[in-house]
């Protein structure tokens, strides 16, 4: 996004609009909004920084009539993230979602005042229109055909079925979270459903280390409990429990409590692949400083044999060029993950 701040305000911002309407019986009259605020050096602003945000919804075009306006004051967390719910102060129900296109304009004052700078306008796409779909009516029922006549005669022909009612606008996705969302103490890198229950993999917002050995125990085989390609939490527990283990990439992840969560672990090789696949989105959202480093090799928690474990070079990714079974004492980067 182009930086339009005056010279004396040395702050930049990365904006992300999150329009997620969960599957409730009645759609909530709110739109989630998140923004990562960074200083001129590209670092997140300090925790506790107060900013003002003004939201305006325009009708038909980006400069059309304003049909909704709201100003909120929010405080950045330790990652420079501010979170707002559009409609928390004013009533979004006043917006006629059925009447043409809608555009959201965002303005920011990084000092928490009312000296706003325009951060741009973007079209609201299908998801907010679940607010309209929640109130759409069913079409009329078709007429019933006449009964047959005569005491013992055949039943009369069934009447023609009525025309189906109009379908409301498309509602929210079947997933309540998405890749690139800041959630659960980190950033979502994959989502899936298991027996209609949503699950996802979350990566930490920064590397836990850049020169970390897989384990200080490099000449003893752990075995099948540390060799899963999919269950990193099982591998992590096995590595940490190994006799003589005092320092390892797995222990570093197990002791991590980012976002207030204590269930972080070192990803298995296929979980690390999910992080790699989402790495461009990760860096787009949180920036390259704390995002995935493409000149680094990252440890997985999957043991290969008595003295080696699997790692991935993020310059090449998954495959023969980027995936190796390396000596456990080598010093590589570590990124923790957790599931929801």
């Amino acid at each position: 996004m182009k930086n339009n701040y005056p010279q004396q305000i040395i702050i930049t911002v990365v904006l992300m609009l999150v329009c997620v309407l969960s599957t409730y019986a009645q759609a909530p009259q709110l739109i989630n909004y998140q923004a990562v605020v960074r200083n001129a050096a590209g670092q997140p602003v300090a925790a506790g920084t107060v900013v003002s945000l003004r939201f305006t919804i325009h009708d038909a075009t980006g400069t059309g009539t304003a049909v909704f306006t709201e100003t909120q004051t929010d405080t950045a967390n330790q990652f420079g993230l501010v979170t707002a719910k559009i409609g928390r102060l004013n009533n979004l129900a006043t917006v006629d979602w059925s009447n043409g296109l809608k555009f959201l304009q965002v303005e920011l004052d990084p000092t928490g005042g009312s000296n706003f700078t325009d951060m741009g306008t973007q079209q609201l796409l299908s998801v907010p229109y679940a607010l309209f779909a929640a109130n759409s009516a069913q079409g009329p029922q078709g007429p019933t055909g006449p009964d047959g006549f005569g005491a013992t005669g055949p039943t009369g022909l069934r009447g023609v079925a009525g025309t189906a009612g109009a379908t409301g606008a498309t509602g929210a996705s079947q997933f309540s979270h998405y890749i690139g969302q800041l959630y659960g103490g980190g950033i979502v890198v994959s989502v899936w459903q298991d027996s209609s229950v949503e699950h996802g993999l979350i990566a930490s917002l920064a590397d836990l280390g850049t020169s970390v050995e897989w384990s200080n125990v490099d000449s003893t085989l752990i075995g099948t409990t540390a060799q899963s390609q999919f269950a990193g939490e099982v591998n992590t527990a096995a590595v940490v429990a190994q006799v003589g283990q005092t320092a390892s990439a797995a222990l570093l992840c197990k002791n991590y409590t980012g976002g207030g969560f204590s269930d972080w672990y070192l990803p298995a090789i296929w979980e690390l692949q999910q992080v790699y696949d989402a790495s461009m989105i990760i860096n787009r959202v949180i920036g390259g400083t704390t995002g995935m480093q493409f000149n680094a090799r990252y440890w997985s928690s999957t043991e290969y044999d008595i003295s080696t474990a699997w790692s991935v070079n993020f310059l090449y990714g998954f495959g023969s060029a980027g995936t190796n079974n390396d000596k456990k004492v080598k010093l590589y980067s570590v990124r923790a993950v957790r599931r929801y």
Side-chain angles (χ1 to χ4, degrees):
M1 180 176 293
K2 184 177 179 182
N3 183 359
N4 293 321
Y5 287 129
Q7 291 292 329
Q8 66 271 25
I9 300 177
I10 52 171
I11 190 167
T12 59
V13 70
V14 178
L15 299 178
M16 179 177 67
L17 178 64
V18 185
C19 297
V20 179
L21 298 178
S22 301
T23 54
Y24 297 105
Q26 181 176 358
Q29 299 290 332
L30 296 171
I31 300 176
N32 288 335
Y33 178 87
Q34 292 181 322
V36 178
V37 182
R38 301 178 180 275
N39 59 26
Q43 299 296 323
V45 297
T49 300
V50 177
V51 301
S52 295
L53 293 164
R54 182 162 64 192
F55 305 104
T56 303
I57 297 177
H58 295 275
D59 197 20
T61 69
T63 57
T65 302
V67 295
F68 176 88
T69 301
E70 182 175 81
T71 301
Q72 297 189 25
T73 300
D74 296 282
T75 303
N77 66 9
Q78 68 269 35
F79 305 112
L81 176 71
V82 295
T83 302
K85 293 184 181 295
I86 303 174
R88 176 171 61 87
L89 301 179
N90 294 335
N91 189 3
L92 268 176
T94 60
V95 179
D96 184 359
W97 300 103
S98 66
N99 184 23
L101 303 178
K102 299 294 183 291
F103 293 78
L104 176 66
Q105 178 186 10
V106 179
E107 298 170 278
L108 170 72
D109 182 347
T111 66
S114 58
N115 185 22
F116 291 102
T117 298
D118 186 8
M119 301 306 299
T121 302
Q122 57 183 312
Q123 182 183 346
L124 290 171
L125 300 178
S126 61
V127 174
Y129 293 91
L131 296 170
F132 167 65
N135 298 310
S136 59
Q138 289 185 323
Q141 182 177 350
T144 302
D147 292 335
F149 58 90
T152 58
T155 302
L157 296 175
R158 184 179 298 275
V160 178
T163 304
T167 302
T170 302
S173 166
Q174 61 178 326
F175 289 103
S176 59
H177 301 290
Y178 56 89
I179 296 174
Q181 181 183 10
L182 296 172
Y183 172 74
I187 184 167
V188 178
V189 298
S190 67
V191 294
W192 67 92
Q193 286 191 346
D194 184 4
S195 300
S196 300
V197 177
E198 180 179 332
H199 299 278
L201 186 69
I202 300 169
S204 59
L205 292 175
D207 290 344
L208 273 60
T210 57
S211 298
V212 182
E213 59 186 355
W214 192 82
S215 176
N216 64 293
V217 181
D218 66 337
S219 59
T220 303
L221 184 70
I222 301 175
T224 56
T225 57
Q227 294 176 359
S228 173
Q229 297 183 6
F230 313 99
E233 68 275 25
V234 175
N235 295 340
T236 296
V239 174
V240 173
Q242 186 181 21
V243 176
Q245 186 276 156
T246 58
S248 65
L251 182 61
L252 195 63
C253 293
K254 183 178 184 298
N255 291 337
Y256 181 60
T257 57
F261 296 93
S262 59
D263 56 349
W264 297 94
Y265 59 88
L266 185 64
I269 188 65
W270 279 102
E271 292 174 312
L272 188 57
Q273 170 66 13
Q274 302 304 308
V275 179
Y276 173 80
D277 288 343
S279 56
M280 185 175 69
I281 298 175
I282 293 173
N283 289 19
R284 182 78 174 180
V285 175
I286 67 176
T289 301
T290 56
M292 307 308 300
Q293 304 305 303
F294 294 110
N295 59 346
R297 181 174 286 277
Y298 286 84
W299 278 124
S300 82
S301 61
T302 306
E303 182 185 57
Y304 180 73
D305 60 20
I306 190 170
S307 60
T308 65
W310 287 107
S311 68
V312 174
N313 186 329
F314 269 48
L315 181 62
Y316 300 106
F318 202 78
S320 59
T323 308
N324 288 335
N325 53 308
D326 288 310
K327 294 291 185 180
K328 294 176 180 179
V329 293
K330 286 194 174 182
L331 303 179
Y332 292 151
S333 295
V334 175
R335 179 73 61 144
V337 299
R338 61 180 297 270
R339 293 189 183 188
Y340 72 84

